[in-house]
Amino acid sequence: MIYPLPAVMVSCGTLEGEHNIITVCWTGTICTNPPMCYISVRPERHSYDIIRSTGEFTINLTTEALARATDWCGVKSGAEVDKWEKCHLTPAPGVAVACPYIAESPLSIECRVKEVKDLGSHHMFIADVVNVIADDAFINPESGAFELDRARMLVYCHGHYHSMGDEIGHFGWTVRKSPSKKR
């Protein structure tokens, strides 16, 4: 009941014939220093064995423009169809890992598996973040920050995809002091 969740496409596979994409909504940040994240995947999913054997994957953030591909890659098996081709997605060569990232994604996080935890229906791949690839179109030239709101990111809530809404505040805004007025 912890909703909404990010809807991401995870790319995996180090060999051209095994490259695959799986849609994952059980993902998140674990640690800032060192940078770590996780994905949880059911062992019966086609991508599970690929990630387990290669020890790497890339989390590709999704947008409104990628909504159809995000859903399609979550319901079709890579054992039966080439998701890259069917969704007209471009596999770009990984920078710090051997698996490709999705060129159409505004932000891709390359990960190396550190540990796998068997949690029951899903196994959690705990991973070190080894590289981040960001589309320059969403980088604020003044701050250098990636602007998620401009990318129109997707979230998943009880079986439905939504785009992120308007910003209502920022970290610390409730306690921030107003600048003093000069007289």
Side-chain angles (χ1 to χ4, degrees):
M1 298 308 293
I2 300 173
Y3 280 96
L5 302 166
V8 302
M9 289 189 284
V10 174
S11 50
C12 60
T14 58
L15 304 173
E16 193 167 322
E18 76 175 354
H19 292 170
N20 194 38
I21 303 167
I22 180 175
T23 299
V24 172
C25 291
W26 291 358
T27 184
T29 302
I30 296 175
C31 187
T32 302
N33 190 13
M36 296 175 67
C37 60
Y38 79 94
I39 60 171
S40 290
V41 179
R42 290 190 321 260
E44 57 271 12
R45 296 294 299 263
H46 178 66
S47 293
Y48 177 89
D49 288 331
I50 297 170
I51 296 168
R52 187 91 191 211
S53 68
T54 63
E56 56 187 43
F57 58 88
T58 299
I59 297 172
N60 302 276
L61 300 189
T62 59
T63 63
E64 287 178 7
L66 292 170
R68 290 187 68 79
T70 301
D71 183 64
W72 203 88
C73 288
V75 296
K76 295 294 184 176
S77 173
E80 300 166 4
V81 65
D82 181 342
K83 296 178 185 183
W84 297 91
E85 182 182 325
K86 290 289 186 184
C87 292
H88 307 287
L89 296 172
T90 309
V95 176
V97 295
C99 66
Y101 66 93
I102 299 171
E104 291 79 6
S105 175
L107 191 90
S108 299
I109 304 165
E110 295 182 326
C111 302
R112 195 162 288 123
V113 176
K114 183 177 184 117
E115 183 180 350
V116 181
K117 290 205 171 275
D118 178 347
L119 300 174
S121 64
H122 289 68
H123 291 188
M124 178 186 285
F125 290 91
I126 298 171
D128 290 317
V129 172
V130 295
N131 190 45
V132 176
I133 302 150
D135 185 335
D136 289 340
F138 301 105
I139 303 291
N140 181 308
E142 293 173 19
S143 68
F146 184 82
E147 296 181 334
L148 287 169
D149 55 332
R150 286 194 316 113
R152 306 292 296 172
M153 307 308 294
L154 282 187
V155 294
Y156 183 79
C157 186
H158 295 286
H160 300 270
Y161 299 97
H162 301 270
S163 60
M164 290 178 47
D166 296 330
E167 178 182 330
I168 58 169
H170 57 83
F171 180 76
W173 69 278
T174 59
V175 297
R176 184 174 176 193
K177 294 183 180 177
S178 307
S180 301
K181 293 181 183 178
K182 292 190 176 188
R183 295 179 194 219

